[in-house]
Amino acid sequence: MTTRFTFGGDEHIFVEISEEMSLEAFFKSLSITNAVRDTEIKGVTEICPANASFQIKFNPDLIHPDDLLTELKRIEQNADLSDAVLNTRIIEIPVFYQDPWTNETLMRFRERHQDPTVTDLEYSARINGYDTVESFIAAHAGSPWFVSMVGFVSGLPFLYQMVEREKQIQVPKYLSPRTDTPKLTVGYGGCFSCIYSVRGAGGYQMFGITPMPIFDPEQKTSYLKDFMVFFKPGDIVKWKPINREEYDQALAEVDAGTFEPRIREVVFSLDDFNKDIEGTNTKLEEILYAN
């Protein structure tokens, strides 16, 4: 990985760790941004991590841009990934695949799609070599996903599939964005899955919908009373396919304030994962579903 530093106007430095997403790039970005935070560099006002990059906002009246650049390069050179271990959590997210609401929406925007004759799931299954939509859904929900970034829209997580690169699902975004996407749609674009935290425009393929709120600015949701945004970078997600009855039940529990996501604390080691991806994923699921 060759790190690239560029200035963004008078108050930002953009740091690209890698041109492609990988867990190694994420952990290096995390290591550097944590070091920037812990060093408490005078003049740094904001640290914004992304999938394989990050951006630093600074006050040029308090630190010269060249001095900050020198300090960031020093921190980058000292970044140590030999013991990349993260104390994090694994979370079960219920998904109603092939739901009527995303299906109605995608049918309104077929002229913007690569193949107007099929649904998003049918298209995604075909171009990834799956014989049926059901087998494609099983692949999407079969392995854990790593939250590499939260943002773009408030509370929206970008999720990276935790499998060998040759097994990763890849699906292009719509040819041109939709003007509507249902709230809590589970989408897909490039190599990333996501959850649309609010209703609005979007270009990702639509696979389904979750009943579980992930962003609540009023903080009325039972598990969002401490912070309005549910996800944070480093979270691990396991999709759980559900049917309409289960979806309606979960919605009723959310409305009643009794819905509680299944969450377990875990320790994730990048070295252990790279040595045995399938074994690591199995252990994560065992922790998630242990009584």
Side-chain angles (χ1 to χ4, degrees):
M1 292 182 291
T2 300
T3 304
R4 183 168 63 93
F5 298 82
T6 55
F7 286 107
D10 297 329
E11 299 181 344
H12 297 87
I13 294 179
F14 175 72
V15 184
E16 184 182 64
I17 303 299
S18 174
E19 291 185 351
E20 62 181 18
M21 173 59 197
S22 67
L23 290 181
E24 286 78 11
F26 169 83
F27 270 89
K28 185 172 183 179
S29 176
L30 181 67
S31 174
I32 296 172
T33 52
N34 284 344
V36 172
R37 180 198 62 203
D38 296 341
T39 305
E40 297 182 345
I41 302 171
K42 183 179 180 180
V44 171
T45 58
E46 189 173 354
I47 304 169
C48 182
N51 296 314
S53 62
F54 63 91
Q55 184 168 270
I56 302 294
K57 184 178 182 181
F58 62 96
N59 185 342
D61 293 330
L62 297 179
I63 185 169
H64 192 281
D66 291 338
D67 292 338
L68 177 58
L69 181 62
T70 298
E71 182 65 12
L72 290 176
K73 288 183 176 180
R74 182 193 66 79
I75 292 174
E76 187 268 338
Q77 290 173 356
N78 293 330
D80 183 13
L81 295 183
S82 61
D83 187 26
V85 176
L86 185 66
N87 292 311
T88 185
R89 56 186 185 166
I90 183 168
I91 307 156
E92 180 187 80
I93 304 294
V95 183
F96 181 16
Y97 290 92
Q98 303 188 87
D99 67 282
W101 306 284
T102 58
N103 187 71
E104 184 277 331
T105 303
L106 67 88
M107 293 307 295
R108 284 191 279 122
F109 294 96
R110 292 334 280 163
E111 76 282 358
R112 305 186 184 207
H113 195 271
Q114 289 83 355
D115 186 348
T117 66
V118 297
T119 67
D120 292 4
L121 271 169
E122 289 169 336
Y123 171 73
S124 300
R126 188 186 74 226
I127 67 171
N128 280 278
Y130 291 90
D131 294 334
T132 64
V133 166
E134 288 71 25
S135 61
F136 178 78
I137 291 172
H140 184 262
S143 59
W145 295 72
F146 199 89
V147 177
S148 57
M149 172 183 166
V150 179
F152 183 71
V153 175
S154 296
L156 184 152
F158 289 83
L159 302 111
Y160 182 74
Q161 194 175 20
M162 296 169 61
V163 294
E164 295 84 351
R165 186 170 292 272
E166 60 271 16
K167 294 182 180 179
Q168 286 182 342
I169 297 169
Q170 296 190 51
V171 187
K173 295 187 288 186
Y174 274 41
L175 296 176
S176 60
R178 300 176 303 274
T179 56
D180 190 22
T181 308
K183 179 181 178 181
L184 297 178
T185 290
V186 175
Y188 210 99
C191 67
F192 290 102
S193 204
C194 80
I195 303 173
Y196 284 79
S197 53
V198 297
R199 182 178 181 178
Y204 277 24
Q205 309 284 337
M206 294 184 288
F207 290 175
I209 198 164
T210 177
M212 177 181 158
I214 60 170
F215 173 63
D216 181 4
E218 296 182 352
Q219 294 181 254
K220 294 180 178 180
T221 306
S222 58
Y223 53 87
L224 294 176
K225 292 188 181 300
D226 293 332
F227 192 57
M228 68 180 70
V229 173
F230 179 74
F231 286 108
K232 54 189 175 183
D235 280 342
I236 297 171
V237 165
K238 185 67 173 63
W239 308 115
K240 178 188 177 183
I242 60 174
N243 58 30
R244 177 63 185 269
E245 182 179 356
E246 292 169 311
Y247 176 85
D248 290 342
Q249 176 62 33
L251 274 187
E253 292 175 4
V254 169
D255 291 341
T258 59
F259 182 88
E260 289 297 331
R262 178 182 287 269
I263 302 173
R264 298 290 185 270
E265 301 296 321
V266 295
V267 177
F268 178 81
S269 165
L270 179 60
D271 186 52
D272 290 347
F273 177 78
N274 285 332
K275 288 178 180 177
D276 184 5
I277 293 176
E278 186 174 343
T280 299
N281 289 345
T282 297
K283 290 178 181 178
L284 288 170
E285 291 188 43
E286 289 174 350
I287 293 171
L288 177 62
Y289 294 111
N291 293 328

